[in-house]
Amino acid sequence: MKEQFLTSSVQRERDYAKQYEYLVLTVSPVDSLHEARRRLVEHSEYGKWELQRSKLYMGGGRRFWLRRRVMQVHRTV
């Protein structure tokens, strides 16, 4: 199972007004689907991620795109 943040400028330009960041979770066909679901639930509950897209490939691999709104903190001092 592999996790990676998307840093593509295409994604940033497309969602510039919404200010989302993306996390891609890739699950190989030999990995447990139960483990993948557990990781998705953990990300959504504790990291405030939401599932944007999922894709099942012909070989049995899966890829999940998670997104969350970027929180911009302004200095008060």
Side-chain angles (χ1 to χ4, degrees):
M1 201 169 323
K2 183 174 103 172
E3 296 177 9
Q4 79 183 86
F5 284 97
L6 283 184
T7 57
S8 169
S9 61
V10 174
Q11 288 288 341
R12 272 192 248 155
E13 287 174 13
R14 191 178 72 192
D15 288 334
Y16 183 72
K18 297 179 185 174
Q19 300 269 334
Y20 285 109
E21 61 182 342
Y22 294 87
L23 173 68
V24 179
L25 180 67
T26 305
V27 180
S28 67
V30 296
D31 290 336
S32 167
L33 188 56
H34 176 71
E35 178 70 20
R37 284 183 182 153
R38 188 183 62 79
R39 303 270 305 260
L40 287 169
V41 168
E42 284 179 2
H43 281 299
S44 65
E45 285 184 4
Y46 302 116
K48 306 269 194 255
W49 292 96
E50 61 184 26
L51 182 64
Q52 180 196 12
R53 180 179 180 197
S54 64
K55 186 164 184 156
L56 174 63
Y57 292 98
M58 285 187 64
R62 296 172 187 263
R63 186 170 286 171
F64 302 97
W65 284 266
L66 303 164
R67 72 177 185 177
R68 68 178 171 188
R69 186 175 287 277
V70 174
M71 293 183 171
Q72 295 183 0
V73 180
H74 299 284
R75 291 183 63 172
T76 58
V77 176

